[in-house]
Amino acid sequence: MQVVNHPLLEQRKVRLLVKRDDLIHPDISGNKWRKLKYNLEEAQTEGHDSILTFGGAFSNHIAATAVCASVMGFKSIGVIRGEARYASNPTLSLAKRYGMRLDFVSRRDYRSKEEPGFLDRLALKWGRCYVIPEGGANKLGRRGCEEILKTVSIEHEYVAVAMGTGTTFLGIMDGLGHQKKMILGFPVLKGFDELDEMLSLSFPNKSYQLFKDYHFGGYAKFTDPLVSFINDFKRQTGVRLDPIYTGKMMYGLFDLIGHAYFPQGSTILAIHTGGLQGIAGFNSRYGSLIDE
Ligand SMILES: *Cc1c(COP(=O)(O)O)cnc(C)c1O
C-alpha cells in the first residue's frame, strides 16, 4: 500500500492510495497471479501435469502462467495469436525461459479457440491439459480476485481498477460483502456495454460505475498524452504504470479528479494490477516511449 503525493490531489483535497499488487512478483502481474491461484490448485487436484492457455504475443497472462506453472511443477503450453515474428520478444522469451512451449495459431483459428473442434485438435497435439481461458477469465480466476481487498485496512470510499476481461472487477464486487464502496472500472478496450448491462442485473444493490472513454482507441492503442502521463506519473510519484492497463486507469482517475468527480475529503484506493513486464515489449515495438 502506498500513499501517493501529487499536486492535483492536494488541490482537490482527495487522498489516493495505491494497492501495489505489481510488487507481488516482477514477472507475474498482480491480478494474473490471483486469477491463476485457484486454477492451478484445481489442476493439481484433478491430477494434471500440463497447463494450456491462450494469449497475444505480449500477454501478461502468458508470462504469468509460464512462471507460475513452472514454479508449481507443471508443464505449460501457450497458444499464441498469430505473429510468430514476435517469438523472441521480451514476453515470449520470458515464457520460453520458464519452459513454456509456444503454439502459434492464425488469428482466424484463435478466434475459434473456444469451439470444441479447435480444442479437440489441441488435445490431440498436446495431450491431456488443464485449460485456462485467455486472461484467466473464469470462475476460479474471479474467485482469486475476491481476495484483492482482503488485506487493506485503511478506510476508503472508492476503488479504481483497470478492466480487460472484467474478471478482476467482478471478483472485487463479489468480495465486497456488505461493505458500502463505490467501485470504478476503467475498460482498456471498446465494447463494454454488454458487461455494463450484465452488472446492473448481477449487482442491483452495489455501487459501481464504468468509465468507457479511457480506452485510447482500443486494446494496446495509445496516444502521446497517455505516454507523457505515464512518464510524468513515475517522475512525480515513483510509481511505474504500464501503457496497456494501469496507465489508462490512472489517466482516467486523474481526469476525474481534475473534473471534481470526487467530493473533497474522499479516499480512493487504486489497484495496481501489475503489467510492468509488458513495458519492455512495448518499448521494443514502438521505440523507447515509456521510461524504464
Ligand atoms: C490482465 C490485466 C488487467 C485486466 O484484468 P481483467 O481481469 O481481465 O479485467 C488489468 N491490469 C493488468 C496489469 C493486467 O495484466
Side-chain angles (χ1 to χ4, degrees):
M1 184 69 64
Q2 178 170 347
V3 179
V4 171
N5 296 308
H6 190 284
L8 184 68
L9 299 169
E10 268 170 47
Q11 190 197 330
R12 295 289 174 181
K13 299 196 169 47
V14 299
R15 196 154 72 120
L16 176 62
L17 309 169
V18 178
K19 170 96 176 26
R20 298 292 305 272
D21 272 12
D22 58 314
L23 300 178
I24 290 178
H25 188 284
D27 297 327
I28 310 174
S29 271
N31 70 333
K32 296 302 184 286
W33 148 244
R34 296 189 186 271
K35 292 197 273 186
L36 285 167
K37 182 178 161 190
Y38 289 116
N39 274 295
L40 294 180
E41 237 176 66
E42 179 64 17
Q44 249 168 359
T45 306
E46 291 178 13
H48 286 274
D49 64 8
S50 300
I51 307 295
L52 182 143
T53 195
F54 306 87
F58 296 88
S59 160
N60 294 328
H61 168 69
I62 287 290
T65 304
V67 180
C68 289
S70 151
V71 169
M72 290 184 64
F74 291 105
K75 290 181 217 153
S76 66
I77 297 113
V79 178
I80 310 296
R81 183 184 59 230
E83 302 172 310
R85 69 196 155 104
Y86 291 126
S88 55
N89 79 15
T91 300
L92 297 182
S93 301
L94 173 101
K96 282 186 282 190
R97 267 203 311 286
Y98 281 94
M100 181 177 263
R101 281 173 300 166
L102 304 180
D103 188 352
F104 290 92
V105 301
S106 69
R107 285 176 177 269
R108 189 152 145 243
D109 278 350
Y110 193 84
R111 270 195 296 277
S112 64
K113 65 184 179 308
E114 259 114 56
E115 287 168 20
F118 184 68
L119 288 172
D120 286 348
R121 266 183 288 150
L122 285 177
L124 274 180
K125 185 167 178 186
W126 295 105
R128 183 174 178 265
C129 294
Y130 182 85
V131 177
I132 302 178
E134 182 178 53
N138 62 8
K139 247 194 204 160
L140 293 176
R142 180 165 163 175
R143 193 207 294 171
C145 293
E146 286 181 25
E147 295 167 6
I148 292 177
L149 297 180
K150 281 264 158 68
T151 57
V152 176
S153 53
I154 305 178
E155 291 287 323
H156 53 278
E157 298 85 41
Y158 298 90
V159 176
V161 63
M163 300 174 84
T165 63
T167 311
T168 307
F169 180 95
L170 289 166
I172 288 173
M173 295 288 284
D174 292 338
L176 283 178
H178 295 295
Q179 298 177 77
K180 286 268 168 265
K181 260 178 220 172
M182 179 77 171
I183 313 299
L184 313 175
F186 294 86
V188 302
L189 62 161
K190 295 181 194 171
F192 266 73
D193 293 339
E194 236 172 80
L195 183 75
D196 211 350
E197 245 165 64
M198 186 277 269
L199 284 170
S200 64
L201 299 174
S202 308
F203 299 103
N205 303 315
K206 294 257 184 295
S207 313
Y208 67 87
Q209 193 170 350
L210 302 196
F211 296 93
K212 291 179 270 192
D213 294 327
Y214 298 109
H215 54 66
F216 293 85
Y219 186 73
K221 300 275 197 309
F222 61 96
T223 63
D224 290 343
L226 177 65
V227 168
S228 306
F229 175 82
I230 290 170
N231 289 331
D232 290 345
F233 193 80
K234 174 166 174 267
R235 242 191 343 269
Q236 287 170 313
T237 70
V239 179
R240 290 174 81 203
L241 302 171
D242 80 293
I244 317 292
Y245 294 101
T246 55
K248 291 183 179 181
M249 169 199 68
M250 200 62 85
Y251 185 105
L253 199 49
F254 269 65
D255 197 44
L256 293 176
I257 293 168
H259 287 94
Y261 173 89
F262 301 97
Q264 290 192 2
S266 304
T267 300
I268 308 156
L269 177 76
I271 314 291
H272 196 317
T273 38
L276 302 180
Q277 75 82 25
I279 293 176
F282 183 88
N283 279 344
S284 72
R285 203 169 170 193
Y286 299 112
S288 299
L289 296 177
I290 308 288
D291 299 340
E292 295 204 44

